[in-house]
Amino acid sequence: MSLGYTQKQYFSMLTVNPYKTILKTAFPNNKTKKEVFIMDNPFLKLTVTDRQILNSYALMLNGLGAYLGDGYELVLHSLESLDHSVIKIINGHFTGRKEGSPITDLALKMLGELEQDPSRTVSPYFNKSSSDSMLRSCTIPITGEHGRIIGLLCINFHMEMPLSEFLQGMLPSQDSSSVTQASSETFSDNIDDLILFSLTETKESVYNDPGISSSNKNKEIIFRLYQQGIFNLKDAVIKVANQLNISKNTVYMHIRNFKVSSPSN
């Protein structure tokens, strides 16, 4: 980029190995070629916002890797340095890479294609690792401040992983209590249903608890809904008050008391 080439020309001439970035250039007569070695030169200058975006993806990779299991390699590239673009990697043993590894030639080619056609659809493709193992891959561009592509999220599924091993990672282990302790999640297409379901479930639990006196049941219901974050939803206070046949001021009073007595305060 700093040698006078456009980004499109730069991508078409760039090749990478683990030790140096090589930009192949030509003299004006186009007969004699030379190689310019760029050692750790920034390819793209990132802003503070750009770095925050990439950091958020790095944190997300931990959860995504835990969810997808051991069959997936997840790689986060930063375009700040092509020599050491990998800033986060999960299951890097599939391709033998680690943090600090360089970008790949295929990733560079895709960046060039995105330069030519920004509306290009991201689609899965089949690939092979250095050990000749089949991979099902997808490369997703990460856009930063000012609409620039600042990084890449690459997902590689190891196609030769035994099916039994893959399924074992998806299912709860036989000696765990994860099934009986599974969280209950409410899927709803509107806020009213979510509030009503949470309230109904909480009321049933409180009313069936003999250890809670009748005079404290509404307070306990409000406390549990507060812990669940229900009152962060729009009009939740009014809806809960109506269902419990109490005033919204009573609900607000209990919420204030909970906040005051909370250890975080």
Side-chain angles (χ1 to χ4, degrees):
M1 303 286 275
S2 59
L3 299 179
Y5 292 96
T6 66
Q7 190 169 8
K8 188 184 299 182
Q9 290 170 330
Y10 189 90
F11 283 134
S12 66
M13 294 185 292
L14 197 63
T15 60
V16 175
N17 69 32
Y19 305 104
K20 51 186 171 288
T21 303
I22 307 172
L23 180 60
K24 294 183 178 179
T25 65
F27 290 114
N29 60 16
N30 204 30
K31 293 181 180 179
T32 307
K33 289 188 176 181
K34 64 178 180 178
E35 290 183 345
V36 179
F37 295 89
I38 309 171
M39 298 301 293
D40 296 327
N41 284 344
F43 174 71
L44 191 69
K45 187 173 182 179
L46 300 183
T47 65
V48 173
T49 301
D50 291 334
R51 295 183 189 281
Q52 290 174 340
I53 292 172
L54 289 175
N55 286 339
S56 70
Y57 273 83
L59 292 173
M60 179 268 292
L61 237 61
N62 291 325
L64 187 60
Y67 175 76
L68 293 175
D70 295 336
Y72 286 86
E73 180 192 61
L74 306 175
V75 190
L76 178 62
H77 292 276
S78 167
L79 297 187
E80 184 173 30
S81 171
L82 300 181
D83 299 37
H84 309 289
S85 66
V86 177
I87 58 174
K88 181 78 174 182
I89 188 166
I90 306 291
N91 293 327
H93 57 275
F94 285 133
T95 56
R97 290 179 294 175
K98 58 184 179 181
E99 291 183 10
S101 292
I103 199 167
T104 67
D105 51 354
L106 183 58
L108 285 171
K109 178 184 176 183
M110 290 184 172
L111 282 171
E113 292 173 349
L114 284 168
E115 275 292 306
Q116 298 176 25
D117 182 14
S119 62
R120 181 176 179 269
T121 302
V122 174
S123 302
Y125 56 92
F126 290 97
N127 199 2
K128 281 195 173 184
S129 68
S130 55
S131 61
D132 210 34
S133 298
M134 180 67 72
L135 303 172
R136 186 174 188 266
S137 305
C138 188
T139 300
I140 304 168
I142 299 172
T143 305
E145 196 173 14
H146 310 307
R148 302 183 307 168
I149 297 177
I150 60 172
L152 298 169
L153 173 58
C154 300
I155 304 173
N156 299 309
F157 177 63
H158 185 53
M159 296 289 291
E160 297 178 17
M161 181 180 190
L163 180 60
S164 58
E165 186 177 337
F166 173 75
L167 292 176
Q168 186 177 1
M170 295 288 105
L171 299 173
S173 58
Q174 297 296 325
D175 58 348
S176 73
S177 56
S178 57
V179 176
T180 57
Q181 296 180 356
S183 300
S184 175
E185 186 172 3
T186 303
F187 300 96
S188 177
D189 61 355
N190 65 81
I191 292 297
D192 289 351
D193 285 350
L194 176 59
I195 295 172
L196 182 59
F197 182 88
S198 298
L199 175 58
T200 301
E201 190 176 56
T202 303
K203 282 174 62 177
E204 182 179 353
S205 175
V206 171
Y207 286 168
N208 290 331
D209 189 342
I212 303 173
S213 64
S214 298
S215 60
N216 284 326
K217 288 192 183 297
N218 282 346
K219 178 181 178 181
E220 181 65 21
I221 291 170
I222 295 169
F223 175 64
R224 294 188 186 187
L225 293 175
Y226 170 74
Q227 286 186 313
Q228 296 171 27
I230 293 299
F231 294 114
N232 292 322
L233 301 176
K234 183 180 179 181
D235 296 331
V237 168
I238 297 174
K239 290 179 172 62
V240 169
N242 291 338
Q243 290 293 321
L244 295 178
N245 293 318
I246 58 178
S247 70
K248 65 178 182 179
N249 291 331
T250 300
V251 177
Y252 280 124
M253 179 191 69
H254 288 312
I255 293 174
R256 283 195 300 270
N257 290 337
F258 299 146
K259 289 181 178 180
V260 170
S261 61
S262 173
S264 60
N265 293 326

